[in-house]
Amino acid sequence: MIEFQGLTVRMNANVLIDGFSFSVTPKMRIGLVGKNGTGKTTLFNTILGRLEPDKGEIQIPKNAVMAEVAQEITNTELSAFEYILSGDEELVQLRVDELKALEEGDGMKISDIHTRLEQIDGYRADSRAYQLLDGLGFKAEDYHKKVKEFSGGWRMRLNIGKALMCRSDILLLDEPTNHLDFETVVWVEDWLKQYAGILIVISHDRDFLDNICTHIIHLYQQKATAYTGNYTAFLRLKAEKLAHQQAQFEKNEKVRAHLQKFVDRFSAKATKAKQAQSRVKALQKLEDIAPVVAENEFAFSFQTPDRLPDPLIRLDEVSFTYDGAHNILEKINMTITPETRMGILGRNGEGKSTLIKMIAGENSPTAGNIIASEHLRVGYFSQHQVEYLNLDADPVWHILQLDKETTMQEARNFLGSFGFHGDKVLEKIAPFSGGEKARLALAMIVFQKPNLLLLDEPTNHLDIEMREAIAMALQEFEGGVLMVSHDASLLELCCDQFVLVANKGLTEFKGDLDDYRQYLIEQNREANRAEKKSPTNQETKTEKIESTTTKSKRQLDREERKELQTELRRLTRETEQAEKRLGKLTEKIAKIDDVLGDPTTYDTKSPEEIQILNDEKLTLENEQLTLEENWLEGSAKIEELNDLLDINN
């Protein structure tokens, strides 16, 4: 439980959050949203105790364990596996204590340690750590590589894994998807849905917020406002709230004008003095409602390319290798035209970025041919694009380097369309935020009027408004687009076909992103089920039964057969009950969807009633997810037990 009571937070002299009260309970997954500078990170630091609130308080149980994703990794000699495992500090200490107790021959202490290890599921800790490494995209050969050997992006993944390894009650995540690919984001989403504690996440990834959040806290104009539901529900409820606020403001202004007119006309007349005075009191009592002020919307557009050759570029039987011995990509054939709108999918390490770099001309193919039009002009945005900026130079300097004939005023005007105004265009970019640097890098690409855009994670560090602006601009762009992104919303809005990079090849993915996400989730859950079934040295009775099913060639004795038949009846009963309940849940969710999908609902129901419907749907969907997991596991066990009993008939 986290209790915010009249919380007021300042940064220097600026009030960021004023008088916020809200109760957060376990299993709440809260998305913290708002423009940059509204206080999201400051609120995180206040929850963590690094900052003191100016007024009010945050009440958190003293024994609550909090985990966060560190922004940096200090020098360490630990391997990736050891670093992930260190997220469970109690486990690490218990293992140290166990070695010491063994050396001292302290049997009582050893027994206590083993009891505690069993209580915290410590005997499966190594397996959980390996599962986290795998889910975060690390290959088996990287598990025991030193942390210092990994690049910055991979170190951030290790920090995420360490935070997830901690058996925390409260988990704080600040932009967790920035250094992940789409496949890893799906895995993290699925993991977070199972998290039993309180999750608070800062993210500009709309799809990520939609998929995991049960509540949204919006920071705006020094206020923190809590909404029930995911990000899409928040947008709907906020729009309704603002519409109601504006309507009430306009109504009050009409009443105010009418009363004031009466006061001005009759206040000097003795016969009307009493009535005028009553109108003055009515004016004083009239609720002071502020007008709705629209948030600044950012928009830009790509310039029309000078030429649009068709095709733009073609790959014929292209292969690529880094070491000369092992191909990353093999015999790739691809034709890109001005109409191409392609999203590139595939697990990390399969070659997505390598393919983009070859098309961009940064890598030369080891075999095959790349045939580009003489009028091809590529706009390439890599996931490390901001690292190529000159930190000691200003935005205007970067634009002038692209075209010496551009005037200072033309450069300033162009940068203004990307949110760089006034003296900002003449400031060194070293202290700029990650989002500002990404905006400048994007502006430089747009300035060059490309006819082919190659975008490799273009939305890292960008806020939701900027991401939506990119999506709108890409829909109007007249050239070809190839995109690698973990932002599902951007992919869905801008791509009309998807290709999957896997097993050194390139194949068209027939479904949409929902199909791909479900495919990934099923793969991940199947791997988790297989991992859970592996026997440990602390097997429970059920685990013993499961391990017995793997010994199908051995004849079972009478007691074992009886035990298995009892277990089979129990599992059959539970799966049948789960199946019936799933059917009822599906019907209930469909009925709520029908109501929420009907435009008249928002005319006939209040925002509070709509919130109740969203709450009910979310509860039903969470129960549905748990039941589906149990049903799948139960069905798999039933099949195994039936096979084993058939063999022993």
Side-chain angles (χ1 to χ4, degrees):
M1 169 76 80
I2 302 177
E3 191 77 31
F4 297 98
Q5 296 182 341
L7 184 72
T8 298
V9 178
R10 294 176 183 266
M11 178 55 69
N12 299 323
N14 300 319
V15 175
L16 298 177
I17 300 170
D18 187 20
F20 177 52
S21 297
F22 187 61
S23 297
V24 185
T25 57
K27 292 193 176 182
M28 274 192 183
R29 301 190 295 272
I30 295 174
L32 201 56
V33 302
K35 285 185 173 292
N36 293 332
T38 53
K40 300 187 294 293
T41 301
T42 302
L43 181 58
F44 260 32
N45 287 329
T46 307
I47 294 171
L48 289 162
R50 294 176 186 147
L51 296 174
E52 288 292 327
D54 289 86
K55 290 182 182 177
E57 60 180 348
I58 302 177
Q59 292 185 353
I60 301 173
K62 289 183 178 180
N63 60 346
V65 178
M66 286 195 284
E68 63 169 327
V69 177
Q71 294 304 306
E72 294 181 0
I73 293 181
T74 53
N75 289 332
T76 176
E77 292 298 318
L78 295 177
S79 68
F81 166 74
E82 292 167 333
Y83 187 77
I84 294 282
L85 201 65
S86 69
D88 192 334
E89 295 181 2
E90 183 184 6
L91 170 76
V92 173
Q93 188 58 52
L94 283 169
R95 289 186 172 183
V96 171
D97 294 344
E98 183 183 24
L99 289 174
K100 184 178 179 182
L102 287 168
E103 290 173 359
E104 296 173 353
D106 189 338
M108 186 64 71
K109 184 70 176 291
I110 293 170
S111 176
D112 291 342
I113 291 170
H114 287 179
T115 299
R116 182 55 183 161
L117 283 171
E118 189 171 354
Q119 290 172 345
I120 66 172
D121 201 18
Y123 294 105
R124 286 186 58 250
D126 287 4
S127 179
R128 292 200 307 275
Y130 285 125
Q131 184 182 334
L132 285 168
L133 283 165
D134 180 63
L136 290 168
F138 290 87
K139 294 186 179 295
E141 56 266 29
D142 295 328
Y143 291 172
H144 298 286
K145 188 191 293 185
K146 298 286 187 184
V147 169
K148 61 185 179 183
E149 296 178 39
F150 291 99
S151 64
W154 286 101
R155 290 190 186 191
M156 283 305 301
R157 293 190 186 215
L158 288 173
N159 279 339
I160 292 172
K162 182 181 178 181
L164 299 186
M165 186 68 192
C166 177
R167 290 175 292 104
S168 58
D169 302 298
I170 302 167
L171 179 59
L172 305 178
L173 300 178
D174 190 351
E175 294 292 356
T177 66
N178 266 0
H179 298 277
L180 307 180
D181 53 23
F182 178 81
E183 291 71 20
T184 310
V185 169
V186 171
W187 182 88
V188 171
E189 287 174 357
D190 201 41
W191 193 97
L192 292 175
K193 287 176 183 176
Q194 318 303 320
Y195 181 63
I198 291 170
L199 170 68
I200 305 179
V201 59
I202 297 172
S203 178
H204 291 123
D205 188 330
R206 175 173 178 162
D207 213 65
F208 179 74
L209 292 171
D210 265 348
N211 286 329
I212 68 162
C213 289
T214 61
H215 295 75
I216 297 290
I217 294 178
H218 181 220
L219 303 187
Y220 177 60
Q221 293 184 341
Q222 303 177 340
K223 294 292 183 183
T225 307
Y227 295 82
T228 300
N230 61 14
Y231 188 77
T232 296
F234 148 70
L235 289 178
R236 184 170 61 245
L237 292 168
K238 184 182 77 164
E240 292 167 0
K241 180 180 177 181
L242 291 176
H244 176 74
Q245 178 183 330
Q246 184 65 20
Q248 192 62 43
F249 167 76
E250 292 171 0
K251 178 182 177 182
N252 281 12
E253 287 302 294
K254 288 180 180 179
V255 174
R256 194 187 306 276
H258 178 75
L259 293 174
Q260 189 65 53
K261 185 177 180 181
F262 186 94
V263 171
D264 293 341
R265 183 177 178 185
F266 296 113
S267 58
K269 292 188 176 182
T271 56
K272 296 288 185 180
K274 188 173 182 180
Q275 292 96 321
Q277 190 61 36
S278 69
R279 299 304 194 280
V280 170
K281 290 181 180 179
L283 271 171
Q284 292 172 345
K285 291 180 179 179
L286 197 61
E287 186 180 3
D288 189 16
I289 296 175
V292 172
V293 179
E295 296 186 56
N296 294 329
E297 294 184 356
F298 178 83
F300 75 97
S301 60
F302 287 96
Q303 300 186 61
T304 303
D306 293 329
R307 293 174 181 265
L308 283 172
D310 189 359
L312 294 163
I313 192 169
R314 193 174 79 235
L315 282 67
D316 291 340
E317 297 289 304
V318 168
S319 298
F320 181 82
T321 175
Y322 285 106
D323 60 10
H326 305 91
N327 281 340
I328 304 295
L329 298 169
E330 205 166 75
K331 295 185 177 180
I332 301 297
N333 292 293
M334 175 188 287
T335 299
I336 302 169
T337 72
E339 287 74 38
T340 298
R341 295 288 187 277
M342 184 182 292
I344 302 177
L345 310 174
R347 292 188 178 276
N348 181 73
E350 293 288 347
K352 300 191 299 290
S353 294
T354 300
L355 176 63
I356 291 283
K357 286 180 180 179
M358 274 203 303
I359 298 171
E362 291 203 355
N363 291 336
S364 298
T366 330
N369 297 303
I370 297 181
I371 305 165
S373 165
E374 61 177 318
H375 301 298
L376 177 69
R377 178 170 283 187
V378 173
Y380 174 42
F381 189 104
S382 77
Q383 55 186 300
H384 306 296
Q385 193 73 25
V386 296
E387 297 174 9
Y388 300 114
L389 299 176
N390 184 343
L391 300 181
D392 294 324
D394 56 53
V396 165
W397 179 89
H398 283 83
I399 297 300
L400 294 179
Q401 297 309 299
L402 300 174
D403 184 355
K404 300 296 184 183
E405 296 182 4
T406 302
T407 67
M408 172 71 77
Q409 190 58 49
E410 286 171 339
R412 293 185 71 134
N413 291 344
F414 176 76
L415 287 165
S417 67
F418 281 83
F420 297 102
H421 303 290
D423 293 337
K424 190 77 173 180
V425 298
L426 299 175
E427 295 176 6
K428 289 184 177 181
I429 68 170
F432 281 16
S433 68
E436 288 172 325
K437 290 173 183 174
R439 261 193 288 137
L440 176 57
L442 184 62
M444 293 172 67
I445 289 173
V446 173
F447 185 80
Q448 298 174 72
K449 299 169 73 174
N451 50 28
L452 173 60
L453 288 173
L454 304 175
L455 306 176
D456 190 355
E457 296 296 352
T459 60
N460 283 351
H461 307 294
L462 298 181
D463 59 23
I464 289 176
E465 289 75 17
M466 183 65 184
R467 292 177 186 219
E468 291 177 349
I470 289 177
M472 294 298 292
L474 284 173
Q475 290 178 59
E476 300 297 325
F477 178 59
E478 294 183 17
V481 177
L482 264 71
M483 186 190 308
V484 175
S485 180
H486 67 263
D487 189 325
S489 295
L490 186 66
L491 286 170
E492 288 171 332
L493 285 171
C494 303
C495 300
D496 55 23
Q497 68 177 126
F498 297 101
V499 294
L500 181 61
V501 181
N503 302 318
K504 305 179 185 179
L506 193 67
T507 56
E508 183 179 1
F509 186 79
K510 298 293 186 181
D512 58 19
L513 281 188
D514 286 337
D515 296 323
Y516 186 56
R517 178 183 280 108
Q518 195 57 42
Y519 162 75
L520 292 171
I521 289 172
E522 286 304 317
Q523 279 194 328
N524 294 334
R525 290 183 179 175
E526 184 60 37
N528 291 347
R529 285 193 289 271
E531 183 274 329
K532 287 177 182 177
K533 291 176 186 176
S534 60
T536 69
N537 55 352
Q538 295 289 319
E539 288 179 324
T540 62
K541 180 179 179 180
T542 302
E543 288 170 330
K544 285 179 180 178
I545 293 172
E546 289 177 354
S547 66
T548 302
T549 66
T550 64
K551 303 172 184 177
S552 58
K553 292 183 180 180
R554 179 177 65 81
Q555 282 295 76
L556 303 174
D557 61 31
R558 184 176 179 181
E559 189 61 33
E560 285 175 321
R561 280 184 60 80
K562 184 177 179 182
E563 192 173 5
L564 288 178
Q565 287 168 340
T566 300
E567 179 70 3
L568 178 60
R569 285 193 293 272
R570 181 186 69 80
L571 288 170
T572 302
R573 184 172 61 253
E574 289 180 356
T575 52
E576 287 175 351
Q577 290 172 348
E579 194 167 1
K580 289 179 182 177
R581 179 59 180 161
L582 277 171
K584 293 179 180 178
L585 288 173
T586 302
E587 289 178 8
K588 289 182 178 179
I589 292 169
K591 287 180 181 178
I592 295 175
D593 279 336
D594 288 343
V595 175
L596 293 175
D598 185 351
T600 61
T601 296
Y602 304 98
D603 297 327
T604 57
K605 292 186 179 294
S606 68
E608 291 75 18
E609 289 174 314
I610 292 171
Q611 277 196 16
I612 290 171
L613 283 171
N614 275 302
D615 282 347
E616 184 181 355
K617 180 185 175 184
L618 188 65
T619 301
L620 293 172
E621 285 177 337
N622 286 336
E623 184 182 353
Q624 183 185 48
L625 186 67
T626 302
L627 276 173
E628 284 177 348
E629 183 82 11
N630 293 339
W631 183 85
L632 286 169
E633 289 185 7
S635 298
K637 289 176 184 176
I638 287 170
E639 187 175 345
E640 289 178 3
L641 291 173
N642 276 322
D643 288 345
L644 183 57
L645 289 167
D646 287 344
I647 290 170
N648 282 269
N649 278 337

